[in-house]
Amino acid sequence: MRFTRHRRLVVPVVAAAALGLALTACTGDIANEDAADVDCAPYEQYGTFEGKKVSISGTILDLEADRLVESWKDFQTCTGIEITYQGSSEFEAQIAVLAEGGNAPDIGIVPQPGLLGRLADGGWLVPASQEVEANVDEFWSEDWKQYGTYDDTFYAAPLMASIKGYIWYSPSEFEEKGYEIPKTLDELNALSEKIAAEGDHKPWCVGFESGDATGWPGTDWIEDYMLRLHGADVYDQWVTHGIPFNDPKVAEAFDAAGEILKSDAMVNGGIGDVSTIVTEAFQTAGLPILDGQCSLHHQASFYETFWNPDGGDANTVASDGSVFAFLMPPANADDPLSVTGGGEFPVAFRDAEEVEAVRAYLSSDTWANNRVKLGGVISANKGLDPKNASSELLEQSIEILQDPETTFRFDGSDLMPGAVGADSFWKGMVAWTTGQSTADTLNTIESSWPAS
Amino acid sequence: MSIAPADLPTGKDRGSIEGAAETTALTEVVGTKSARVKKRLTSRTATVAALIIAVLWTIPTFGLLISSFRPAELVRTTGWWTIFENWGFTLDNYKDVLLSTSQSSPQLGAYIVNSIAISLVGTLIPLVLATMAAYAFAWIKFKGAGVLFILVFALQIVPLQMALVPLLQIFSTWLRPMQAWLHDVVPIIPEQNYAPVWLAHAMFALPLAIFLLHNFIAEIPSEVIEAARVDGATHGQIFFRIVLPLATPAIASFAIFQFIWVWNDLLVALIFSGGTQDVAPLTQRLAEMVGSRGQEWERLTAGAFISIIIPLAVFFGLQRYFVRGLLAGSTKG
Amino acid sequence: MTTADLLGKLLQVVMGLAVLAAVVGLLIFFIDKAPKKGRDYWQLVGFLAPALIFLAIGLVYPAIRTSLLAFQTSGGEWTLDNFVWTFTQPTAIRTLINTVIWVLLVPTVSTAIGLAYAVFIDRSRGEKYYKVILFMPIAISFVGAGIIWRFVYEYRSGDREQIGLLNAIVTAFGGEPVQFMQTDPLNTFLLIIVMIWIQTGFAMVLLSAAIKGVPTEQIEAAQLDGTNGWQRFVNVTVPGIRGALVVVLTTISIATLKVFDIVRTMTAGNFNTSVIANEMYTQAFRASEVGRGSALALILFLLVLPIVVYNINVLRKQREIR
């Protein structure tokens, strides 16, 4: 009796273990790069740390994560630091828990200055070393340094960047139908109406769906309008709650965006009516442009990689390719060039020389060039050669970021407190596009702004 | 162990007129005892109803299974039920999920081993502790037993998310140094090991485990226990010789559920594992693969089927304990 | 992963199990060797202490901490603001109502279907396979289930081919496709179906085991009395499994109150579908408003109290009978 019972328990367990082992057998060890094959000259300044390990976590996943790991391969080989990277889509929600519980990785790649501030506020971050700060002073603008600073302490250098507010279009369609790239917001509206009037398809395709972050692409629209209609100063007041969220100026930005987003004549090309905005995934929302079902799509520079959903390079991103993008125009043609954008900040949770060596490398022009060469991303690092960018659009984006005349503002929702920027603003965009009035939406968001 | 009833003739063979079940039931009384007992309580309508429920419950999963073998493009544009009109069959999705070598997390095999290791011990610890506690609550009389049991029961509602930070703090003060020491003594064991994940799962599982097991253990006829006590058996002996064998079906069924819950867990693993491939389970890798592009149905479908295999194997392996009557034997013997 | 890694992992599992076995073995060994005087006390401690220590560290201490946090601002001052906010935000009432709908429907419907199914398939040919079918959804994670069902409810506008099964059925009967996830209040019920789909298997497995525990003599006796199937079910089977029914209902109710993954993956709480558990997760983790999250957790705790009280009564009665 006894024995049989044990045997019955053991069988499934052994079977499960055997299956695991069988699957393990399919995998092998990945050989390490031989140090002799690598030119270590650029890495000598960081020193050598035999047997030291640095763990990094972030939101970067999949192909982008592979490229990130690739970008520090030589650095690892030459300095002897072993870097492990772990990507997770839940990173933003969990990093504070991990930090508070004392189980944070050595470096966290934080995509929002707001989150950086919160982590710094909790006293969990290690201020940046002098090498990192020197790199930032040399390679980044004062604005960017500010985003990595909290309470006058400088915590982290920026890593990569993206420019929001691009409007994607099909160059061949524009040429064929004689459409001009708009120079002002009025011209943009005029163009939209013209396309709508010509009748075979709606001008815009929009998608806000992004799992539990549904609505964030909508916040980008509002931010672009805020910056262009009211200028950088009002924008700054808005994100710091200097003006309330239900200020008439914000309502103006919403209504301007609403002329497109809430009009069945304008959206949703190739997808449906206005109500489909909130159910269409942001990843696929622009694709109707390729089928001629839609002409304009508003999304950040990173959307470049989404044009070929199945991989490959059938759809080219170039001024003479399948798709290209122009920046959302200013309110008046002679306004200074203003763009919104995003970026990441590698913050340190452990005070150690090897951690700072990694951070110093990540803030250097060497890293920026190495990473950008691998394709798909840009950085605001001034030591970066735009020629290294993987496409015409990214090259142009790097030039915009490096241009001292550009007014750059960080994505507003990333700067706001989490209760707004990662919750009520997103939800507000969803409710607003599905019919809620501007006033109600703004009041709801304003009421969620934390008191302190 | 017998599942013999399945092989006996059922109502289908006995009467073709619907509703005849009752009459058959009466006539059966004269039949042999075993046939009578094992005869089905219900009629053909019941079979049909069961079939309908079964089909309804399978459709979503079935759609998932078919989708997992269809090319990405077809999954995105046509319904899975049109598989014959839009024929396309591929193993690429499974290949992607199983063999994709990403540099950031290269091998799926490591994650499967982790999942098995976490689920196995993460099931056994709470099971053992809960069975002991449930026995104490049911059969050791002490002051305040009721209140204490209710407290334990009420703990079920403490949201996991709220318990993460304090627990993590305790772990990093007490458990981390032990892990480091273990790593120094036995270098083959990585510094980030399974211990925190096991303990966290055990702690979170205990209230439900104690509650469920108590309900079964408390139903053991008191004559059985009293008889043993009179014979001078200690609690330890009663626990091992009487309670454990009798409660095996209940323990096994809880084991299955706990195994599956741990297997499917993502939150506890993410927080307590530190996320490296030394420790992180399969769910984490799958979430990562799917999370980056959101709409990649085809990968998710394949991933879901890979992760479902082992829980189903465990269910098949242990399900005989469900079939066996809960207290069969004890009441009669 | 190298062979060394694998060995390390195996070693960990073996060591973990060895430690567990050693602790429990020693504990029970010493309990039985405890001095006569106060042996009962030591036996009690031996059986209960391990579980209680785990509970104290893992749940009691965190629960107390959460309760305190609910009454604090992020700066640590005492306040009721978190509760004021909870009940004054525009969607608060709706979230509460939704939570109540969930906790009323999920346990009852899934237990009813699970019980019916368990009875229907009892002693039937291929009972094992019938069981596996209903059990399968449990083996799929909540997030996976959410995504499977989003696939079922998927909407494509009029002229495009539907890839969601439900809308394909609607259009096959000549209807207009529906934006299921946006149609309030239908969407909440559609989300509830997902939870029922998962939990029915749980109910079925436990109840099926309980049904087999009903003494066959009683059923035979009822048969001899000339009762029909339904009467036997109501008068013999149901009373025989009452304990199991209470357990199943309770467990599912509590699981339902805590579930947030389904809402999060399918609607993210938009379109008036949010429930308290989802709001709690969002506030505490996404919005980093720990105070608000804790306040919601406390409210959730209060909602469970009736269930706890009911179980206390059942428990008392059981003890009295004994």
Side-chain angles (χ1 to χ4, degrees):
Chain A
M1 175 68 190
R2 223 165 203 195
F3 173 73
T4 46
R5 183 174 332 114
H6 280 290
R7 200 187 55 199
R8 280 174 198 151
L9 276 168
V10 163
V11 168
V13 166
V14 169
L19 183 63
L21 288 179
L23 283 164
T24 325
C26 321
T27 60
D29 300 300
I30 289 177
N32 280 327
E33 192 104 344
D34 197 350
D37 302 339
V38 180
D39 172 20
C40 281
Y43 305 106
E44 268 164 18
Q45 61 186 74
Y46 302 107
T48 49
F49 303 81
E50 263 335 298
K52 295 286 185 188
K53 288 179 181 175
V54 173
S55 60
I56 305 183
S57 293
T59 47
I60 300 160
L61 295 171
D62 215 39
L63 180 65
E64 297 295 314
D66 287 354
R67 288 172 170 167
L68 192 65
V69 171
E70 174 79 31
S71 76
W72 57 57
K73 215 170 176 186
D74 289 354
F75 174 82
Q76 285 192 84
T77 315
C78 295
T79 58
I81 301 175
E82 190 188 330
I83 304 177
T84 50
Y85 175 77
Q86 181 67 46
S88 156
S89 51
E90 294 290 311
F91 173 81
E92 289 145 289
Q94 282 162 352
I95 187 67
V97 177
L98 291 172
E100 197 176 348
N103 201 20
D106 297 334
I107 296 177
I109 302 179
V110 171
Q112 295 134 3
L115 184 55
L116 182 145
R118 190 170 150 241
L119 294 171
D121 200 33
W124 303 310
L125 295 188
V126 180
S129 64
Q130 282 192 329
E131 290 80 38
V132 175
E133 189 154 5
N135 272 340
V136 171
D137 289 336
E138 187 180 350
F139 296 120
W140 263 275
S141 71
E142 189 56 30
D143 282 343
W144 277 98
K145 189 178 175 186
Q146 276 310 310
Y147 296 128
T149 305
Y150 181 80
D151 260 359
D152 297 328
T153 311
F154 175 66
Y155 286 101
L159 195 69
M160 290 172 276
S162 66
I163 291 189
K164 308 236 167 182
Y166 269 117
I167 294 172
W168 297 85
Y169 68 102
S170 157
S172 57
E173 186 196 2
F174 268 48
E175 197 178 340
E176 205 174 288
K177 299 188 179 162
Y179 299 147
E180 291 287 325
I181 305 254
K183 302 272 188 306
T184 65
L185 286 176
D186 288 339
E187 283 183 36
L188 180 65
N189 284 342
L191 173 66
S192 311
E193 271 154 31
K194 192 174 167 197
I195 299 172
E198 287 180 6
D200 68 335
H201 64 260
K202 294 178 182 176
W204 290 87
C205 35
V206 187
F208 287 179
E209 200 278 333
S210 177
D212 61 341
T214 297
W216 72 259
T219 65
D220 287 0
W221 279 80
I222 304 302
E223 287 149 11
D224 277 331
Y225 276 100
M226 278 303 287
L227 185 61
R228 283 162 180 76
L229 290 175
H230 305 301
D233 291 342
V234 173
Y235 185 90
D236 291 342
Q237 288 170 8
W238 175 57
V239 297
T240 55
H241 215 212
I243 57 171
F245 210 104
N246 50 4
D247 190 273
K249 288 184 177 131
V250 187
E252 211 179 305
F254 267 76
D255 290 337
E259 285 187 31
I260 292 166
L261 294 177
K262 295 183 89 166
S263 156
D264 272 328
M266 295 290 174
V267 288
N268 207 351
I271 299 162
D273 57 11
V274 166
S275 71
T276 60
I277 289 180
V278 292
T279 46
E280 182 66 21
F282 82 92
Q283 293 99 332
T284 53
L287 301 180
I289 292 184
L290 300 172
D291 312 326
Q293 301 266 325
C294 148
S295 302
L296 302 163
H297 178 67
H298 174 271
Q299 192 52 276
S301 54
F302 62 69
Y303 201 70
E304 190 180 294
T305 51
F306 292 103
W307 289 108
N308 293 298
D310 300 324
D313 49 8
N315 303 313
T316 51
V317 176
S319 52
D320 56 354
S322 324
V323 279
F324 201 56
F326 58 85
L327 268 181
M328 187 176 226
N332 305 300
D334 50 354
D335 283 351
L337 179 61
S338 309
V339 295
T340 55
E344 299 98 0
F345 301 85
V347 296
F349 293 95
R350 181 161 69 97
D351 196 0
E353 275 182 31
E354 64 271 20
V355 175
E356 286 310 310
V358 172
R359 293 217 295 163
Y361 170 58
L362 292 178
S363 61
S364 70
D365 54 336
T366 320
W367 182 82
N369 281 304
N370 280 350
R371 174 64 191 88
V372 168
K373 260 184 235 169
L374 296 171
V377 296
I378 54 172
S379 168
N381 191 311
K382 282 187 264 186
L384 172 62
D385 182 357
K387 295 267 171 333
N388 281 333
S390 57
S391 77
E392 197 180 336
L393 184 83
L394 293 183
E395 190 178 334
Q396 178 190 316
S397 304
I398 294 171
E399 281 162 3
I400 293 172
L401 285 174
Q402 290 178 341
D403 184 351
E405 297 299 308
T406 307
T407 307
F408 177 86
R409 280 296 175 271
F410 210 90
D411 184 325
S413 58
D414 290 347
L415 297 170
M416 293 174 187
V420 180
D423 185 33
S424 65
F425 196 179
W426 293 347
K427 293 213 173 98
M429 290 312 299
V430 172
W432 180 74
T433 28
T434 46
Q436 198 178 48
S437 74
T438 304
D440 286 352
T441 308
L442 296 188
N443 289 337
T444 307
I445 301 175
E446 171 63 22
S447 74
S448 72
W449 202 292
S452 50
Chain B
M1 241 304 306
S2 127
I3 2 172
D7 306 314
L8 285 173
T10 57
K12 192 176 82 183
D13 309 308
R14 292 198 197 105
S16 52
I17 309 155
E18 209 170 327
E22 290 163 43
T23 8
T24 349
L26 280 172
T27 52
E28 279 298 314
V29 172
V30 291
T32 65
K33 189 187 172 190
S34 65
R36 200 169 64 227
V37 170
K38 285 164 184 168
K39 209 196 72 59
R40 305 187 51 200
L41 294 166
T42 44
S43 64
R44 178 174 295 185
T45 337
T47 316
V48 175
L51 261 178
I52 291 174
I53 297 177
V55 169
L56 280 179
W57 250 250
T58 324
I59 286 176
T61 323
F62 185 66
L64 184 80
L65 178 65
I66 292 191
S67 299
S68 72
F69 289 108
R70 302 184 75 205
E73 186 51 36
L74 284 176
V75 171
R76 222 171 283 137
T77 52
T78 59
W80 54 265
W81 55 92
T82 64
I83 174 103
F84 293 110
E85 297 147 53
N86 304 294
W87 181 252
F89 179 86
T90 174
L91 285 174
D92 285 356
N93 304 328
Y94 285 91
K95 222 158 63 189
D96 270 3
V97 173
L98 274 175
L99 305 176
S100 83
T101 46
S102 138
Q103 298 203 10
S104 47
S105 24
Q107 301 133 331
L108 202 67
Y111 293 94
I112 293 179
V113 172
N114 290 342
S115 267
I116 294 174
I118 291 174
S119 308
L120 210 59
V121 185
T123 303
L124 281 172
I125 298 178
L127 210 59
V128 171
L129 298 191
T131 314
M132 290 169 62
Y135 171 72
F137 277 122
W139 295 108
I140 303 182
K141 291 202 172 69
F142 61 101
K143 244 191 211 147
V147 176
L148 197 58
F149 181 70
I150 286 154
L151 264 175
V152 170
F153 171 77
L155 279 177
Q156 275 186 69
I157 195 54
V158 176
L160 200 73
Q161 296 86 2
M162 289 295 162
L164 297 177
V165 169
L167 193 54
L168 202 51
Q169 280 169 342
I170 293 172
F171 280 176
S172 44
T173 353
W174 301 101
L175 200 61
R176 275 309 260 308
M178 264 175 60
Q179 287 176 270
W181 171 81
L182 193 63
H183 175 65
D184 287 341
V185 178
V186 194
I188 199 171
I189 291 178
E191 205 168 336
Q192 288 275 12
N193 56 38
Y194 299 129
V197 190
W198 287 339
L199 293 177
H201 274 302
M203 288 168 179
F204 295 142
L206 273 178
L208 182 62
I210 295 176
F211 173 68
L212 285 180
L213 293 177
H214 169 271
N215 282 297
F216 284 99
I217 291 177
E219 277 174 21
I220 293 173
S222 51
E223 309 91 66
V224 180
I225 309 270
E226 293 306 329
R229 295 242 65 179
V230 171
D231 290 349
T234 62
H235 277 301
Q237 286 164 336
I238 297 176
F239 180 71
F240 278 116
R241 305 246 171 91
I242 298 174
V243 174
L244 273 192
L246 287 181
T248 307
I251 294 174
S253 47
F254 184 77
I256 292 177
F257 287 118
Q258 173 68 6
F259 185 92
I260 289 166
W261 287 325
V262 175
W263 182 271
N264 280 330
D265 158 80
L266 181 59
L267 186 65
V268 172
L270 277 178
I271 296 288
F272 291 98
S273 73
T276 63
Q277 57 157 317
D278 287 340
V279 186
L282 189 60
T283 41
Q284 179 169 346
R285 176 76 186 116
L286 290 176
E288 201 184 303
M289 269 193 291
V290 175
S292 58
R293 294 278 169 85
Q295 291 265 307
E296 297 199 350
W297 296 113
E298 64 284 357
R299 272 196 195 181
L300 180 100
T301 52
F305 266 93
I306 292 170
S307 67
I308 213 178
I309 292 172
I310 289 176
L312 281 187
V314 170
F315 178 77
F316 263 115
L318 294 185
Q319 90 138 5
R320 63 188 73 201
Y321 290 98
F322 288 137
V323 179
R324 195 199 278 171
L326 271 185
L327 291 174
S330 70
T331 37
K332 285 168 194 156
Chain C
M1 192 173 64
T2 60
T3 321
D5 287 344
L6 187 64
L7 281 177
K9 288 173 179 180
L10 277 177
L11 192 61
Q12 278 186 63
V13 174
V14 171
M15 278 174 67
L17 292 177
V19 169
L20 177 71
V23 168
V24 171
L26 283 177
L27 209 58
I28 291 183
F29 177 76
F30 281 114
I31 288 169
D32 284 353
K33 295 276 174 288
K36 269 257 155 54
K37 202 181 115 205
R39 176 180 279 188
D40 279 353
Y41 174 75
W42 284 112
Q43 284 178 328
L44 182 65
V45 170
F47 274 102
L48 267 186
L52 291 187
I53 292 171
F54 266 50
L55 285 172
I57 296 173
L59 292 167
V60 177
Y61 165 62
I64 294 171
R65 186 175 170 277
T66 303
S67 311
L68 295 181
L69 282 175
F71 295 97
Q72 288 177 356
T73 63
S74 52
E77 291 149 42
W78 298 97
T79 174
L80 280 176
D81 282 1
N82 296 318
F83 291 92
V84 174
W85 171 84
T86 307
F87 289 104
T88 54
Q89 52 150 341
T91 52
I93 301 301
R94 192 54 206 273
T95 304
L96 209 63
I97 293 175
N98 284 343
T99 310
V100 172
I101 298 178
W102 273 77
V103 81
L104 286 181
L105 279 184
V106 175
T108 46
V109 177
S110 42
T111 307
I113 299 180
L115 177 59
Y117 191 80
V119 171
F120 293 160
I121 63 166
D122 195 37
R123 291 151 211 229
S124 73
R125 201 187 286 267
E127 178 175 351
K128 202 172 172 180
Y129 301 97
Y130 271 115
K131 275 189 176 170
V132 169
I133 283 173
L134 232 67
F135 187 83
M136 210 135 55
I138 305 180
I140 300 172
S141 62
F142 276 129
V143 178
I147 293 170
I148 291 175
W149 281 85
R150 223 170 65 182
F151 209 16
V152 173
Y153 298 148
E154 182 84 2
Y155 164 86
R156 291 287 156 103
S157 65
D159 44 343
R160 294 198 295 170
E161 188 175 341
Q162 299 297 330
I163 65 166
L165 182 63
L166 208 52
N167 262 321
I169 294 171
V170 169
T171 46
F173 285 100
E176 279 293 303
V178 187
Q179 286 265 41
F180 286 113
M181 285 298 102
Q182 287 183 45
T183 317
D184 176 30
L186 178 67
N187 48 14
T188 292
F189 292 96
L190 292 175
L191 295 185
I192 287 175
I193 287 178
V194 181
M195 187 65 177
I196 292 175
W197 181 69
I198 296 172
Q199 295 293 348
T200 302
F202 176 80
M204 181 271 299
V205 166
L206 288 191
L207 293 176
S208 169
I211 287 173
K212 291 182 193 308
V214 175
T216 43
E217 292 85 356
Q218 291 181 15
I219 294 174
E220 282 168 40
Q223 277 177 342
L224 283 171
D225 292 345
T227 54
N228 64 26
W230 174 252
Q231 286 166 329
R232 282 199 298 278
F233 172 71
V234 173
N235 297 326
V236 181
T237 313
V238 170
I241 59 168
R242 180 166 290 143
L245 273 175
V246 172
V247 170
V248 168
L249 280 169
T250 308
T251 311
I252 298 182
S253 303
I254 291 177
T256 306
L257 280 172
K258 283 165 94 170
V259 76
F260 69 100
D261 324 49
I262 294 177
V263 174
R264 236 162 61 88
T265 43
M266 295 187 70
T267 63
N270 285 305
F271 322 119
N272 284 331
T273 56
S274 199
V275 292
I276 292 179
N278 178 54
E279 286 298 307
M280 184 197 74
Y281 183 88
T282 315
Q283 287 302 326
F285 286 82
R286 286 279 163 186
S288 18
E289 293 290 329
V290 180
R292 291 176 183 175
S294 306
L296 286 161
L298 261 190
I299 295 171
L300 214 52
F301 192 86
L302 291 180
L303 281 177
V304 182
L305 272 186
I307 303 175
V308 176
V309 170
Y310 175 73
N311 273 272
I312 295 168
N313 287 334
V314 172
L315 198 75
R316 282 229 181 94
K317 272 181 201 146
Q318 274 180 7
R319 301 228 153 190
E320 276 162 22
I321 290 167
R322 214 192 294 150

